[in-house]
Amino acid sequence: MTVNAPKAEAAPEAAPDSDTSPAADEPGARGARRHTALPKARILIEALPWLTRHHGRTVVIKFGGNAMVDEELKAAFAQDVVFLRHAGLRPVVVHGGGPQISRQLARLGLESEFKAGLRVTTPETMEVVRMVLAGQVQRELVGLLNRHGPLAVGMTGEDAHILTAVKRLAEVDGEPVDLGRVGEITAVETGAVRALLDNGRIPVISSIARSADDDHVYNINADTAAAALAAALGAETLMVLTDVEGLYADWPASDEVISRLTVSELERLLPELASGMVPKMEGCLTAVRNGVRTARVIDGRVQHSILLEIFTDEGIGTMVVPDDHPVPNAAAPAAAHAAPTEGES
Ligand SMILES: Nc1ncnc2c1ncn2[C@@H]1O[C@H](COP(=O)(O)OP(=O)(O)O)[C@@H](O)[C@H]1O
Ligand SMILES: CC(=O)N[C@@H](CCC(=O)OP(=O)(O)O)C(=O)O
């Protein structure tokens, strides 16, 4: 048994502890090292209420194509998700890749056209969507996560009937508009996702759905797919990572972020929102209406934004809560995301 060692167990990649070196054996050296490690212990202890609160809970994280800004951010995203998994949560990643799809279409000389915020998807476009989401973006995320161990398993909504959809029409100026192979989710089959979670894995899901007649596949907005999955899994939290700080109250005129919204407040606000935020906020609304405890839109450009959101009272972004969700103590710092108390997240 090691008593009062500066570190009971070295991190796998850390240099071997220098306990046995002559310098470390000098009486002052041990005391000083213990002292310098204390802030780390405090940070860990600060996270205890959140760790307790979220243990064993499912968190669906939507990683948007616009938030995948650089290699460092993507690596930090993967670290956060693996951290959640090792902290006893059950993270599920649903990813987008809109900009990546548009780039590939441009390379092929195909145009990207959006109506009501959704990509007009011809059968030819659908092939590119599937190739980019399942063959590139998903593979990259799975690879980044699996640098930390055999954790992530990639799937699309087609696999094991996870997502089934029917054709979705958009509405533009009050008129129905045909978007081609864009789908509206009609059923979510969570068996395969739950089995992976029970097995300690991290499912990484591309936003593509099968059609009920198995005739073809549908392009699904990734925010919508993440929200449907969060609801079907009975997730604790839906976390949408994007390229802005959260929902701006008066975008683009001001950058004042709305930190907390109830379902009723969001319902009133929704008709006024501009296109990028519409699927996100509709998704948050659907998720919370269907039992997800909180849905959050956070800034994916901030390194470790997921950990900040889950484990600290420095929560960032916009949080959507049920109407009867307890209002946090207004006197507490960062009131919208203050430390969890009974019934709070
Ligand atoms: N009220 C709003 N608050 C914040 N962003 C908004 C708002 N209305 C529209 N947007 C736009 O929505 C964008 C995010 O949506 P999107 O580009 O689809 O991102 P992602 O790829 O992460 O899904 C922002 O970059 C911003 O331009
Ligand atoms: C129907 C529809 O618009 N599908 C999206 C799917 C990807 C997506 O949603 O990616 P982001 O999350 O990065 O925006 C698209 O084709 O761009």
Side-chain angles (χ1 to χ4, degrees):
M1 192 168 92
T2 314
V3 181
N4 270 350
K7 237 193 292 174
E9 193 178 275
E13 267 116 19
D17 207 326
S18 54
D19 263 2
T20 52
S21 73
D25 282 344
E26 286 166 20
R30 276 177 177 269
R33 252 184 323 150
R34 241 196 329 261
H35 181 71
T36 54
L38 258 178
K40 285 186 190 163
R42 285 204 190 99
I43 288 167
L44 290 170
I45 288 300
E46 262 177 39
L48 187 58
W50 282 275
L51 282 165
T52 310
R53 178 78 185 85
H54 294 297
H55 192 85
R57 304 292 173 100
T58 300
V59 179
V60 174
I61 302 159
K62 188 267 172 158
F63 198 27
N66 279 313
M68 299 174 194
V69 178
D70 60 40
E71 299 311 310
E72 241 176 87
L73 264 180
K74 283 186 267 190
F77 166 83
Q79 281 179 325
D80 284 10
V81 175
V82 170
F83 189 98
L84 294 188
R85 153 70 179 72
H86 288 309
L89 286 84
R90 291 155 61 95
V92 176
V93 176
V94 177
H95 70 88
Q100 293 80 352
I101 296 167
S102 298
R103 272 201 296 275
Q104 185 61 27
L105 286 170
R107 269 187 218 122
L108 297 169
L110 297 168
E111 235 180 274
S112 289
E113 192 190 354
F114 287 85
K115 287 185 183 165
L118 300 167
R119 186 185 302 278
V120 177
T121 309
T122 62
E124 195 182 12
T125 308
M126 189 63 230
E127 278 181 28
V128 178
V129 170
R130 198 188 207 182
M131 186 182 80
V132 172
L133 292 184
Q136 292 175 8
V137 180
Q138 183 212 88
R139 289 295 92 206
E140 187 183 2
L141 294 178
V142 166
L144 287 168
L145 288 160
N146 284 340
R147 279 188 195 167
H148 303 276
L151 296 167
V153 178
M155 297 182 290
T156 87
E158 301 157 68
D159 293 316
H161 291 195
I162 296 171
L163 300 176
T164 301
V166 295
K167 188 178 173 71
R168 170 176 178 172
L169 295 177
E171 204 179 283
V172 179
D173 300 329
E175 296 293 319
V177 175
D178 190 341
L179 299 169
R181 296 268 160 93
V182 173
E184 181 175 337
I185 297 169
T186 52
V188 184
E189 167 58 60
T190 57
V193 180
R194 287 184 199 275
L196 285 172
L197 289 170
D198 291 345
N199 193 229
R201 311 288 172 185
I202 302 171
V204 179
I205 301 169
S206 312
S207 59
I208 300 168
R210 64 186 272 270
S211 69
D213 56 10
D214 281 323
D215 191 30
H216 50 258
V217 293
Y218 282 116
N219 184 9
I220 309 286
N221 173 280
D223 299 316
T224 312
L229 206 56
L233 285 166
E236 165 86 358
T237 298
L238 165 67
M239 212 176 271
V240 180
L241 269 67
T242 185
D243 65 343
V244 281
E245 293 164 277
L247 179 65
Y248 294 130
D250 184 18
W251 186 85
S254 128
D255 62 358
E256 193 193 324
V257 176
I258 302 174
S259 60
R260 186 179 189 276
L261 269 173
T262 63
V263 161
S264 297
E265 287 165 342
L266 178 54
E267 273 166 358
R268 284 195 290 276
L269 198 67
L270 212 48
E272 294 164 30
L273 293 181
S275 64
M277 274 294 141
V278 173
K280 287 182 210 325
M281 299 320 297
E282 275 178 355
C284 289
L285 191 62
T286 307
V288 176
R289 263 193 198 141
N290 287 288
V292 175
R293 195 167 176 76
T294 61
R296 305 147 192 242
V297 176
I298 60 172
D299 195 342
R301 302 165 306 172
V302 175
Q303 274 204 11
H304 302 299
S305 52
I306 298 175
L307 294 190
L308 286 173
E309 190 63 34
I310 295 250
F311 293 122
T312 76
D313 59 10
E314 288 161 39
I316 50 175
T318 300
M319 179 156 92
V320 179
V321 297
D323 287 339
D324 60 357
H325 197 264
V327 178
N329 175 7
H337 303 277
T341 53
E342 199 51 42
E344 177 61 75
S345 62

